[in-house]
Amino acid sequence: MRIHQYERVWLLASMVLIVGFIATITYGAVGLGITMVDDRGATIAPDEINEDERFGDPRVEQVGDDEYEVYAVAMTFAFQPDPIEIPADSEVTFYVTSRDVIHSFYVVGTNTNTMVIPGEISVVTVEFDEPGEYGLICTEYCGAAHHEMEGQLAVLE
Ligand code: CUA
């Protein structure tokens, strides 16, 4: 069977596009280290957050020489704790859950952004080498004041 030349060109072009799309997604997920909600996190009942030993008192906890854990809670329309303060040159693991609806936890200007789903605990580990001030915002529409949902992350000297 003979394939018309134009058809062959278009066939080839569409295959190149498909491979290109797959390569882009793979690069985004693996190459840039973009983290989706994964199964490292556990589950938690949103109405039991106040009694939970981690999230009942949202906080920063030192767990090693340069290692910290942050237990953060997202809600309409704030993050707790706020501000989050950690020292520079540290590795920080954020555990984030939601009290009510779906939010996100985006550290502005970095590639740290995780969805925060009620009932789930999102886990993201980030290294902060330099001191600086970061904004935290929510990138999932969560209600009338979604655009005002923000917090502060301070990386101290
Ligand atoms: Cu929380 Cu948008």
Side-chain angles (χ1 to χ4, degrees), residues 78-131:
F79 295 101
Q80 289 177 323
D82 186 23
I84 295 172
E85 294 182 331
I86 45 153
D89 276 320
S90 59
E91 186 182 272
V92 183
T93 303
F94 295 96
Y95 296 84
V96 195
T97 191
S98 168
R99 223 176 253 292
D100 37 46
V101 297
I102 293 178
H103 299 280
S104 93
F105 183 87
Y106 172 45
V107 183
V108 179
T110 72
N111 64 2
T112 301
N113 186 6
T114 180
M115 269 180 103
V116 182
I117 301 170
E120 309 259 344
I121 299 170
S122 303
V123 184
V124 199
T125 302
V126 190
E127 281 181 31
F128 290 98
D129 298 330
E130 302 288 329

Short mmCIF file of all heavy atoms in Angstrom, two decimals, residues 78-131:
data_model
loop_
_atom_site.label_atom_id
_atom_site.label_comp_id
_atom_site.label_asym_id
_atom_site.label_seq_id
_atom_site.Cartn_x
_atom_site.Cartn_y
_atom_site.Cartn_z
N ALA A 78 -6.47 31.14 55.37
CA ALA A 78 -5.19 31.39 56.04
C ALA A 78 -4.38 30.11 56.14
O ALA A 78 -4.90 29.01 55.91
CB ALA A 78 -5.44 31.94 57.44
N PHE A 79 -3.11 30.30 56.47
CA PHE A 79 -2.25 29.18 56.80
C PHE A 79 -1.83 29.32 58.27
O PHE A 79 -1.67 30.42 58.77
CB PHE A 79 -0.97 29.19 55.94
CG PHE A 79 -1.20 29.00 54.48
CD1 PHE A 79 -1.19 30.08 53.62
CD2 PHE A 79 -1.42 27.73 53.95
CE1 PHE A 79 -1.39 29.92 52.25
CE2 PHE A 79 -1.62 27.55 52.59
CZ PHE A 79 -1.61 28.65 51.74
N GLN A 80 -1.65 28.18 58.94
CA GLN A 80 -1.08 28.18 60.29
C GLN A 80 0.10 27.23 60.30
O GLN A 80 -0.01 26.16 59.70
CB GLN A 80 -2.11 27.67 61.31
CG GLN A 80 -3.24 28.60 61.57
CD GLN A 80 -4.24 27.96 62.53
OE1 GLN A 80 -4.50 26.76 62.47
NE2 GLN A 80 -4.79 28.76 63.41
N PRO A 81 1.21 27.52 60.95
CA PRO A 81 1.48 28.81 61.63
C PRO A 81 1.78 29.89 60.61
O PRO A 81 2.09 29.60 59.47
CB PRO A 81 2.72 28.48 62.47
CG PRO A 81 3.41 27.38 61.71
CD PRO A 81 2.33 26.58 61.05
N ASP A 82 1.69 31.12 61.05
CA ASP A 82 1.99 32.26 60.18
C ASP A 82 2.58 33.38 61.04
O ASP A 82 1.88 33.87 61.92
CB ASP A 82 0.73 32.72 59.47
CG ASP A 82 1.01 33.82 58.46
OD1 ASP A 82 2.16 33.91 58.00
OD2 ASP A 82 0.09 34.57 58.14
N PRO A 83 3.83 33.78 60.84
CA PRO A 83 4.75 33.27 59.83
C PRO A 83 5.38 31.93 60.24
O PRO A 83 5.40 31.57 61.40
CB PRO A 83 5.83 34.35 59.77
CG PRO A 83 5.85 34.90 61.16
CD PRO A 83 4.43 34.85 61.65
N ILE A 84 5.88 31.21 59.21
CA ILE A 84 6.70 30.04 59.45
C ILE A 84 8.15 30.52 59.45
O ILE A 84 8.57 31.16 58.50
CB ILE A 84 6.48 28.98 58.34
CG1 ILE A 84 5.04 28.45 58.39
CG2 ILE A 84 7.50 27.84 58.47
CD1 ILE A 84 4.69 27.55 57.21
N GLU A 85 8.89 30.23 60.51
CA GLU A 85 10.28 30.70 60.59
C GLU A 85 11.23 29.53 60.71
O GLU A 85 11.09 28.70 61.62
CB GLU A 85 10.44 31.64 61.78
CG GLU A 85 9.66 32.94 61.60
CD GLU A 85 9.85 33.90 62.75
OE1 GLU A 85 10.10 33.44 63.88
OE2 GLU A 85 9.76 35.12 62.50
N ILE A 86 12.19 29.46 59.78
CA ILE A 86 13.20 28.40 59.82
C ILE A 86 14.57 29.01 59.54
O ILE A 86 14.67 30.03 58.87
CB ILE A 86 12.89 27.31 58.77
CG1 ILE A 86 12.52 27.96 57.42
CG2 ILE A 86 11.77 26.40 59.21
CD1 ILE A 86 12.82 27.11 56.26
N PRO A 87 15.63 28.39 60.06
CA PRO A 87 16.96 28.91 59.80
C PRO A 87 17.44 28.56 58.39
O PRO A 87 17.01 27.54 57.83
CB PRO A 87 17.84 28.22 60.84
CG PRO A 87 16.95 27.39 61.67
CD PRO A 87 15.65 27.24 60.96
N ALA A 88 18.34 29.37 57.84
CA ALA A 88 18.94 29.07 56.54
C ALA A 88 19.82 27.83 56.66
O ALA A 88 20.15 27.40 57.76
CB ALA A 88 19.77 30.26 56.07
N ASP A 89 20.18 27.24 55.51
CA ASP A 89 20.99 26.02 55.48
C ASP A 89 20.31 24.87 56.16
O ASP A 89 20.93 24.12 56.92
CB ASP A 89 22.35 26.26 56.17
CG ASP A 89 23.33 26.87 55.19
OD1 ASP A 89 23.34 26.46 54.02
OD2 ASP A 89 24.07 27.79 55.61
N SER A 90 19.02 24.74 55.94
CA SER A 90 18.33 23.64 56.58
C SER A 90 17.46 22.89 55.58
O SER A 90 17.13 23.39 54.51
CB SER A 90 17.46 24.17 57.73
OG SER A 90 16.54 25.10 57.24
N GLU A 91 17.16 21.66 55.97
CA GLU A 91 16.25 20.85 55.17
C GLU A 91 14.93 20.78 55.92
O GLU A 91 14.89 20.41 57.09
CB GLU A 91 16.83 19.45 54.99
CG GLU A 91 16.01 18.61 54.04
CD GLU A 91 16.59 17.20 53.92
OE1 GLU A 91 17.47 17.00 53.08
OE2 GLU A 91 16.13 16.33 54.67
N VAL A 92 13.89 21.18 55.22
CA VAL A 92 12.60 21.31 55.88
C VAL A 92 11.58 20.39 55.22
O VAL A 92 11.44 20.38 54.00
CB VAL A 92 12.08 22.76 55.78
CG1 VAL A 92 10.77 22.91 56.55
CG2 VAL A 92 13.11 23.74 56.30
N THR A 93 10.91 19.61 56.03
CA THR A 93 9.82 18.79 55.50
C THR A 93 8.51 19.39 55.99
O THR A 93 8.27 19.53 57.18
CB THR A 93 9.95 17.33 55.95
OG1 THR A 93 11.21 16.84 55.52
CG2 THR A 93 8.85 16.48 55.32
N PHE A 94 7.69 19.78 55.02
CA PHE A 94 6.39 20.35 55.33
C PHE A 94 5.34 19.24 55.32
O PHE A 94 5.28 18.46 54.36
CB PHE A 94 5.99 21.40 54.28
CG PHE A 94 6.87 22.61 54.26
CD1 PHE A 94 7.91 22.69 53.35
CD2 PHE A 94 6.66 23.66 55.12
CE1 PHE A 94 8.74 23.81 53.31
CE2 PHE A 94 7.47 24.79 55.09
CZ PHE A 94 8.52 24.86 54.18
N TYR A 95 4.57 19.18 56.37
CA TYR A 95 3.39 18.31 56.41
C TYR A 95 2.20 19.26 56.44
O TYR A 95 2.07 20.06 57.35
CB TYR A 95 3.39 17.44 57.67
CG TYR A 95 4.54 16.47 57.72
CD1 TYR A 95 5.78 16.86 58.21
CD2 TYR A 95 4.39 15.16 57.28
CE1 TYR A 95 6.85 15.99 58.24
CE2 TYR A 95 5.46 14.27 57.31
CZ TYR A 95 6.68 14.70 57.79
OH TYR A 95 7.74 13.82 57.83
N VAL A 96 1.36 19.16 55.42
CA VAL A 96 0.28 20.14 55.32
C VAL A 96 -1.05 19.43 55.14
O VAL A 96 -1.17 18.49 54.33
CB VAL A 96 0.49 21.10 54.12
CG1 VAL A 96 -0.41 22.31 54.25
CG2 VAL A 96 1.94 21.54 53.99
N THR A 97 -2.03 19.87 55.89
CA THR A 97 -3.37 19.32 55.70
C THR A 97 -4.39 20.46 55.73
O THR A 97 -4.05 21.59 56.04
CB THR A 97 -3.72 18.24 56.75
OG1 THR A 97 -4.92 17.58 56.34
CG2 THR A 97 -3.92 18.83 58.14
N SER A 98 -5.61 20.16 55.36
CA SER A 98 -6.64 21.20 55.29
C SER A 98 -7.75 20.92 56.29
O SER A 98 -8.13 19.78 56.53
CB SER A 98 -7.24 21.24 53.88
OG SER A 98 -8.42 22.04 53.90
N ARG A 99 -8.26 22.01 56.84
CA ARG A 99 -9.36 21.93 57.78
C ARG A 99 -10.71 21.83 57.09
O ARG A 99 -11.68 21.38 57.67
CB ARG A 99 -9.36 23.23 58.59
CG ARG A 99 -9.57 23.12 60.04
CD ARG A 99 -9.43 24.49 60.65
NE ARG A 99 -8.20 24.62 61.41
CZ ARG A 99 -7.95 23.97 62.53
NH1 ARG A 99 -8.84 23.15 63.03
NH2 ARG A 99 -6.83 24.14 63.16
N ASP A 100 -10.77 22.31 55.82
CA ASP A 100 -12.10 22.44 55.21
C ASP A 100 -12.14 21.99 53.74
O ASP A 100 -12.57 20.88 53.47
CB ASP A 100 -12.60 23.88 55.35
CG ASP A 100 -11.48 24.92 55.22
OD1 ASP A 100 -10.67 24.77 54.29
OD2 ASP A 100 -11.42 25.85 56.03
N VAL A 101 -11.68 22.82 52.84
CA VAL A 101 -11.79 22.49 51.41
C VAL A 101 -10.39 22.32 50.81
O VAL A 101 -9.40 22.44 51.52
CB VAL A 101 -12.57 23.58 50.64
CG1 VAL A 101 -14.00 23.67 51.16
CG2 VAL A 101 -11.88 24.93 50.75
N ILE A 102 -10.33 22.08 49.50
CA ILE A 102 -9.04 21.92 48.84
C ILE A 102 -8.34 23.28 48.72
O ILE A 102 -8.94 24.26 48.28
CB ILE A 102 -9.21 21.29 47.44
CG1 ILE A 102 -9.68 19.84 47.58
CG2 ILE A 102 -7.89 21.36 46.65
CD1 ILE A 102 -9.91 19.15 46.24
N HIS A 103 -7.10 23.31 49.18
CA HIS A 103 -6.26 24.49 49.03
C HIS A 103 -4.97 24.04 48.36
O HIS A 103 -4.84 22.88 47.96
CB HIS A 103 -5.90 25.09 50.40
CG HIS A 103 -7.07 25.53 51.20
ND1 HIS A 103 -7.71 26.73 50.99
CD2 HIS A 103 -7.73 24.94 52.23
CE1 HIS A 103 -8.70 26.85 51.86
NE2 HIS A 103 -8.74 25.77 52.62
N SER A 104 -4.01 24.98 48.28
CA SER A 104 -2.67 24.54 47.94
C SER A 104 -1.68 25.31 48.79
O SER A 104 -2.05 26.27 49.47
CB SER A 104 -2.36 24.72 46.45
OG SER A 104 -1.74 25.97 46.22
N PHE A 105 -0.46 24.84 48.77
CA PHE A 105 0.61 25.41 49.59
C PHE A 105 1.74 25.71 48.61
O PHE A 105 2.47 24.82 48.21
CB PHE A 105 1.02 24.37 50.63
CG PHE A 105 2.07 24.82 51.60
CD1 PHE A 105 1.72 25.49 52.77
CD2 PHE A 105 3.41 24.53 51.38
CE1 PHE A 105 2.69 25.87 53.69
CE2 PHE A 105 4.38 24.92 52.30
CZ PHE A 105 4.02 25.59 53.45
N TYR A 106 1.81 26.97 48.17
CA TYR A 106 2.79 27.35 47.17
C TYR A 106 3.77 28.34 47.77
O TYR A 106 3.36 29.39 48.26
CB TYR A 106 2.07 27.96 45.95
CG TYR A 106 2.99 28.57 44.92
CD1 TYR A 106 4.15 27.92 44.51
CD2 TYR A 106 2.71 29.80 44.35
CE1 TYR A 106 5.00 28.48 43.56
CE2 TYR A 106 3.54 30.37 43.40
CZ TYR A 106 4.69 29.70 43.02
OH TYR A 106 5.52 30.27 42.08
N VAL A 107 5.05 27.98 47.76
CA VAL A 107 6.09 28.89 48.22
C VAL A 107 6.50 29.73 47.02
O VAL A 107 7.14 29.23 46.09
CB VAL A 107 7.30 28.13 48.80
CG1 VAL A 107 8.33 29.12 49.35
CG2 VAL A 107 6.86 27.16 49.89
N VAL A 108 6.08 30.98 47.01
CA VAL A 108 6.21 31.84 45.84
C VAL A 108 7.67 31.97 45.42
O VAL A 108 8.55 32.19 46.25
CB VAL A 108 5.62 33.23 46.12
CG1 VAL A 108 5.77 34.14 44.91
CG2 VAL A 108 4.15 33.11 46.50
N GLY A 109 7.92 31.79 44.13
CA GLY A 109 9.26 31.95 43.59
C GLY A 109 10.08 30.68 43.63
O GLY A 109 11.23 30.68 43.24
N THR A 110 9.49 29.58 44.12
CA THR A 110 10.20 28.29 44.14
C THR A 110 9.32 27.29 43.37
O THR A 110 8.22 27.62 42.94
CB THR A 110 10.39 27.77 45.57
OG1 THR A 110 9.13 27.33 46.09
CG2 THR A 110 10.96 28.85 46.48
N ASN A 111 9.83 26.07 43.24
CA ASN A 111 8.97 25.06 42.60
C ASN A 111 8.26 24.20 43.65
O ASN A 111 7.84 23.10 43.37
CB ASN A 111 9.76 24.20 41.60
CG ASN A 111 10.84 23.39 42.27
OD1 ASN A 111 10.98 23.42 43.49
ND2 ASN A 111 11.60 22.63 41.49
N THR A 112 8.14 24.72 44.86
CA THR A 112 7.42 24.02 45.91
C THR A 112 5.95 24.42 45.87
O THR A 112 5.60 25.55 46.16
CB THR A 112 8.01 24.35 47.29
OG1 THR A 112 9.38 23.98 47.28
CG2 THR A 112 7.28 23.61 48.40
N ASN A 113 5.14 23.49 45.46
CA ASN A 113 3.70 23.74 45.40
C ASN A 113 3.00 22.41 45.53
O ASN A 113 3.23 21.51 44.72
CB ASN A 113 3.33 24.41 44.07
CG ASN A 113 1.87 24.83 44.03
OD1 ASN A 113 1.15 24.73 45.03
ND2 ASN A 113 1.42 25.30 42.87
N THR A 114 2.20 22.24 46.55
CA THR A 114 1.48 20.99 46.69
C THR A 114 0.01 21.27 46.91
O THR A 114 -0.35 22.28 47.52
CB THR A 114 2.04 20.13 47.85
OG1 THR A 114 1.28 18.92 47.92
CG2 THR A 114 1.97 20.84 49.18
N MET A 115 -0.83 20.42 46.40
CA MET A 115 -2.25 20.53 46.71
C MET A 115 -2.44 20.13 48.16
O MET A 115 -1.70 19.29 48.69
CB MET A 115 -3.06 19.57 45.85
CG MET A 115 -3.54 20.17 44.56
SD MET A 115 -4.47 18.94 43.65
CE MET A 115 -6.13 19.48 43.97
N VAL A 116 -3.42 20.72 48.80
CA VAL A 116 -3.72 20.38 50.19
C VAL A 116 -5.18 19.96 50.23
O VAL A 116 -6.07 20.75 49.97
CB VAL A 116 -3.48 21.59 51.12
CG1 VAL A 116 -3.75 21.20 52.56
CG2 VAL A 116 -2.06 22.11 50.96
N ILE A 117 -5.38 18.68 50.51
CA ILE A 117 -6.71 18.09 50.39
C ILE A 117 -7.21 17.69 51.78
O ILE A 117 -6.48 17.05 52.53
CB ILE A 117 -6.64 16.86 49.47
CG1 ILE A 117 -6.13 17.28 48.09
CG2 ILE A 117 -7.99 16.16 49.37
CD1 ILE A 117 -5.80 16.13 47.18
N PRO A 118 -8.44 18.09 52.13
CA PRO A 118 -8.94 17.68 53.44
C PRO A 118 -8.93 16.15 53.55
O PRO A 118 -9.33 15.46 52.61
CB PRO A 118 -10.37 18.24 53.47
CG PRO A 118 -10.67 18.74 52.11
CD PRO A 118 -9.39 18.89 51.36
N GLY A 119 -8.44 15.65 54.67
CA GLY A 119 -8.36 14.21 54.85
C GLY A 119 -7.01 13.63 54.49
O GLY A 119 -6.71 12.49 54.84
N GLU A 120 -6.19 14.41 53.77
CA GLU A 120 -4.88 13.92 53.35
C GLU A 120 -3.79 14.80 53.96
O GLU A 120 -4.01 15.97 54.23
CB GLU A 120 -4.73 14.01 51.83
CG GLU A 120 -5.86 13.41 51.04
CD GLU A 120 -5.51 12.03 50.51
OE1 GLU A 120 -4.32 11.70 50.50
OE2 GLU A 120 -6.44 11.32 50.12
N ILE A 121 -2.61 14.21 54.12
CA ILE A 121 -1.47 14.99 54.57
C ILE A 121 -0.46 15.05 53.42
O ILE A 121 0.06 14.02 53.00
CB ILE A 121 -0.82 14.36 55.82
CG1 ILE A 121 -1.84 14.31 56.97
CG2 ILE A 121 0.42 15.15 56.23
CD1 ILE A 121 -1.38 13.49 58.16
N SER A 122 -0.23 16.25 52.91
CA SER A 122 0.75 16.43 51.84
C SER A 122 2.12 16.59 52.46
O SER A 122 2.27 17.25 53.48
CB SER A 122 0.43 17.68 51.02
OG SER A 122 -0.87 17.59 50.51
N VAL A 123 3.13 15.96 51.83
CA VAL A 123 4.48 16.02 52.37
C VAL A 123 5.43 16.54 51.29
O VAL A 123 5.44 16.02 50.18
CB VAL A 123 4.96 14.61 52.81
CG1 VAL A 123 6.33 14.70 53.47
CG2 VAL A 123 3.96 13.97 53.76
N VAL A 124 6.16 17.60 51.61
CA VAL A 124 7.14 18.16 50.68
C VAL A 124 8.42 18.47 51.45
O VAL A 124 8.36 19.09 52.50
CB VAL A 124 6.68 19.50 50.07
CG1 VAL A 124 7.46 19.81 48.81
CG2 VAL A 124 5.20 19.52 49.80
N THR A 125 9.54 18.02 50.92
CA THR A 125 10.83 18.34 51.54
C THR A 125 11.58 19.34 50.68
O THR A 125 11.67 19.16 49.47
CB THR A 125 11.67 17.06 51.74
OG1 THR A 125 10.91 16.15 52.55
CG2 THR A 125 12.98 17.37 52.43
N VAL A 126 12.05 20.40 51.32
CA VAL A 126 12.72 21.48 50.59
C VAL A 126 13.99 21.87 51.34
O VAL A 126 14.02 21.83 52.57
CB VAL A 126 11.81 22.73 50.52
CG1 VAL A 126 12.39 23.76 49.57
CG2 VAL A 126 10.40 22.37 50.11
N GLU A 127 15.04 22.22 50.58
CA GLU A 127 16.24 22.74 51.22
C GLU A 127 16.29 24.25 51.02
O GLU A 127 16.09 24.74 49.91
CB GLU A 127 17.49 22.10 50.59
CG GLU A 127 17.75 20.72 51.14
CD GLU A 127 19.00 20.09 50.53
OE1 GLU A 127 19.92 20.85 50.19
OE2 GLU A 127 19.00 18.86 50.39
N PHE A 128 16.53 24.96 52.12
CA PHE A 128 16.67 26.41 52.04
C PHE A 128 18.10 26.77 52.42
O PHE A 128 18.51 26.59 53.56
CB PHE A 128 15.69 27.10 52.99
CG PHE A 128 14.26 26.98 52.56
CD1 PHE A 128 13.44 26.00 53.10
CD2 PHE A 128 13.74 27.82 51.59
CE1 PHE A 128 12.12 25.88 52.69
CE2 PHE A 128 12.41 27.70 51.18
CZ PHE A 128 11.61 26.73 51.74
N ASP A 129 18.88 27.23 51.43
CA ASP A 129 20.28 27.55 51.69
C ASP A 129 20.47 29.00 52.10
O ASP A 129 21.29 29.31 52.95
CB ASP A 129 21.12 27.27 50.42
CG ASP A 129 21.05 25.80 50.04
OD1 ASP A 129 20.90 24.97 50.96
OD2 ASP A 129 21.13 25.49 48.84
N GLU A 130 19.73 29.88 51.47
CA GLU A 130 19.92 31.31 51.69
C GLU A 130 18.81 31.88 52.54
O GLU A 130 17.66 31.45 52.43
CB GLU A 130 19.90 32.04 50.33
CG GLU A 130 20.94 31.56 49.34
CD GLU A 130 22.34 31.98 49.73
OE1 GLU A 130 22.46 33.07 50.35
OE2 GLU A 130 23.30 31.25 49.44
N PRO A 131 19.16 32.88 53.38
CA PRO A 131 18.11 33.57 54.10
C PRO A 131 17.20 34.31 53.12
O PRO A 131 17.65 34.71 52.05
CB PRO A 131 18.86 34.58 54.99
CG PRO A 131 20.29 34.20 54.92
CD PRO A 131 20.49 33.40 53.67
#
